[in-house]
């Protein structure tokens, strides 16, 4: 591996230069106005309530900022992203317009890491990259610009410490999500490094059942064969465990899963042995937590419905929909095009990748609508959705 | 009062509950952090 590969993690100092571009593409005077008016807006029969925390988080804001600064800093160079910088189609399309090419994922140019040449510039996205990808890139002699979210890296530290100490990381996340794949790869750097990814409380409950001897190896692998580290032996690898999470999961669920696993380990091995067999640190992302808390607060206002704006593949946006649905009908739209008419709306179904059209989404008469957005959604997109709602109402 | 600088992006970190957290990139540290290595490196102690 080349020791000379440069990894840039700090600003190029071009923030002022790129500010007009960012403002033109992502900012919204309307959203600023609604925020200034106690997060409320009234128009005709509609009252719109905006969540007090929504949209771009610090990690996303920084990743986009660095991508634009990178383009400004290296105007003549080929610039690549390893994958989507964040899960928002508007942002990824804008980066393509800047001439930034994607090596993989839905915007992939069909290229591969072995096509990267010395002098090229490669952006690592907010989700991070796997260790093997990082190693491969470092061998190419390119300039690496690392936009990995700091909260994600804080999780990596935990997973690596578990691996060093011989604890298996139980990761609450989605196995095929870029962030979780990168986090899993961190465990595998160490001889004792193991991981198991659990999607939700139901899966965590099955892991607890295995720990306590109520599930066979066959039953365990029938469910987890694709979400464990290579050579995983549940008898050996569930004797010492540590909890971690994908930063965009439901924070309350991550905590519940940690508590479930702790209780299970205590029942299996006894309270005195717990300290040597169970680890847990709070790695909940504060921005994710704040957005989830804010949407919960918003639902208590007695809404007729909630509109959640964000990329269909955005994990944190999906969780905002889940929280909203506890209280009222909620629709996850990617952008203004989802608001088809006052009668019909196109949206993503919760707990499913399916995009559907629903009739009768907008009630007659006075309507109270909550609006929130995932951490990767530009204010400009939220503004367009609000504008479209007011147009069709 | 001590000032903490973010290992990741160089910004000043602020204390929040039991952690110091970077306001720019979200990176945080707490009392269980011992080292000064940047997390996004391939560990020299690793396989």
């Amino acid at each position: 591996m080349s020791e000379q590969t440069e990894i840039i993690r700090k600003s190029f100092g071009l923030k002022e230069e790129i500010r007009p571009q960012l403002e033109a593409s992502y900012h919204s005077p309307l959203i600023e106005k609604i925020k200034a008016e106690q997060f409320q807006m009234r128009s005709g029969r509609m009252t719109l309530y905006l969540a007090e925390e929504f949209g771009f988080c610090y990690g996303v804001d920084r990743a986009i900022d660095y991508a634009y600064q990178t383009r400004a800093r290296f105007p003549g160079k080929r610039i690549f992203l390893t994958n989507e910088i964040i899960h928002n189609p508007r942002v990824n399309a804008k980066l393509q317009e800047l001439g930034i090419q994607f090596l993989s994922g839905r915007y992939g140019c069909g290229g591969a890491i072995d096509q990267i040449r010395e002098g090229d510039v490669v952006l690592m996205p907010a989700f991070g990259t796997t260790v093997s990808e990082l190693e491969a890139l470092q061998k190419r002699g390119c300039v690496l610009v690392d936009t990995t979210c700091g909260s994600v890296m804080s999780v990596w530290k935990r997973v690596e410490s578990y691996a060093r100490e011989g604890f298996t990381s139980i990761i609450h996340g989605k196995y095929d999500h870029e962030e979780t794949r990168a986090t899993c790869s961190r465990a595998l750097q160490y001889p004792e490094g193991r991981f198991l990814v659990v999607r939700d409380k139901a899966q965590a409950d099955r892991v607890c059942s295995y720990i306590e001897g109520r599930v066979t190896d066959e039953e365990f692998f029938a469910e987890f064969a694709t979400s464990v580290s290579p050579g995983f032996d549940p008898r050996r690898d569930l004797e010492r465990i540590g909890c971690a999470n994908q930063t965009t999961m439901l924070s309350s669920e991550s905590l519940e899963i940690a508590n479930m696993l702790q209780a299970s380990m205590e029942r299996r091995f006894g309270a005195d042995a717990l300290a040597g067999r169970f680890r847990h640190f709070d790695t909940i992302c504060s921005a994710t937590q704040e957005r989830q808390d804010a949407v919960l607060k918003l639902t208590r206002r007695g809404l007729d419905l909630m509109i959640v704006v964000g990329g269909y593949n955005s994990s944190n946006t999906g969780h905002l929909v889940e929280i909203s649905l506890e209280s009222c009908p909620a629709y996850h739209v990617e952008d203004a095009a989802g608001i088809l008419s006052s009668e019909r709306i196109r949206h993503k179904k919760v707990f499913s990748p399916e995009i559907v059209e629903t009739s009768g989404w907008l009630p007659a008469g006075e309507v109270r609508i909550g609006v929130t957005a995932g951490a990767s959604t530009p204010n400009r997109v939220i503004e367009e959705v609000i504008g479209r709602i007011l147009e069709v109402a | 009062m001590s000032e903490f600088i973010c290992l990741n992006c160089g910004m000043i970190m602020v204390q929040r509950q039991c952690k110091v957290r970077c306001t720019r990139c979200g990176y945080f540290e707490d009392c269980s952090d011992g080292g000064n290595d940047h997390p996004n490196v391939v560990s020299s102690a690793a396989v």
Side-chain angles (χ1 to χ4, degrees), chain A residues 75 130 173 275 281 372 374 388:
Chain A
T130 62
F281 295 95
T372 189
R388 178 66 182 150

Side-chain angles (χ1 to χ4, degrees), chain A residues 374-386:
Chain A
S376 48
T377 311
N379 280 1
R380 177 62 58 86
V381 176
I382 307 168
E383 176 188 288
E384 289 165 4
V385 170
I386 290 174

Side-chain angles (χ1 to χ4, degrees), chain A residues 295-366:
Chain A
V295 81
L296 192 59
K297 186 176 171 188
L298 188 54
T299 60
R300 292 180 182 138
R301 302 193 71 145
L303 303 172
D304 293 302
L305 64 108
M306 181 81 79
I307 297 291
V308 185
V309 189
Y312 287 146
N313 57 343
S314 163
S315 176
N316 79 90
T317 306
H319 293 309
L320 296 176
V321 181
E322 287 175 41
I323 294 169
S324 304
L325 280 169
E326 298 279 322
S327 309
C328 63
Y331 302 99
H332 177 178
V333 299
E334 199 162 63
D335 52 34
I339 312 295
L340 300 173
S341 66
S342 60
E343 176 58 24
R344 295 183 69 74
I345 188 169
R346 183 170 58 238
H347 61 104
K348 180 181 169 294
K349 271 176 80 171
V350 70
F351 303 123
S352 161
E354 199 181 346
I355 311 301
V356 295
E357 289 185 15
T358 298
S359 297
W361 69 280
L362 188 62
E366 291 282 323

Side-chain angles (χ1 to χ4, degrees), chain A residues 71-92:
Chain A
R71 178 75 281 174
R73 171 68 181 78
F74 302 104
K77 287 192 183 287
R78 297 200 307 168
I79 302 181
F80 296 89
L81 259 162
T82 56
N83 206 321
E84 294 179 54
I85 192 162
I86 56 167
H87 283 160
N88 187 271
R90 174 75 60 89
V91 175
N92 288 305

Side-chain angles (χ1 to χ4, degrees), chain A residues 28-36 50 54 379 382-383 386:
Chain A
S28 160
L30 175 65
I31 298 299
E32 294 308 316
K33 183 169 181 284
I34 297 173
K35 282 164 75 172
L50 198 55
F54 64 93
N379 280 1
I382 307 168
E383 176 188 288
I386 290 174

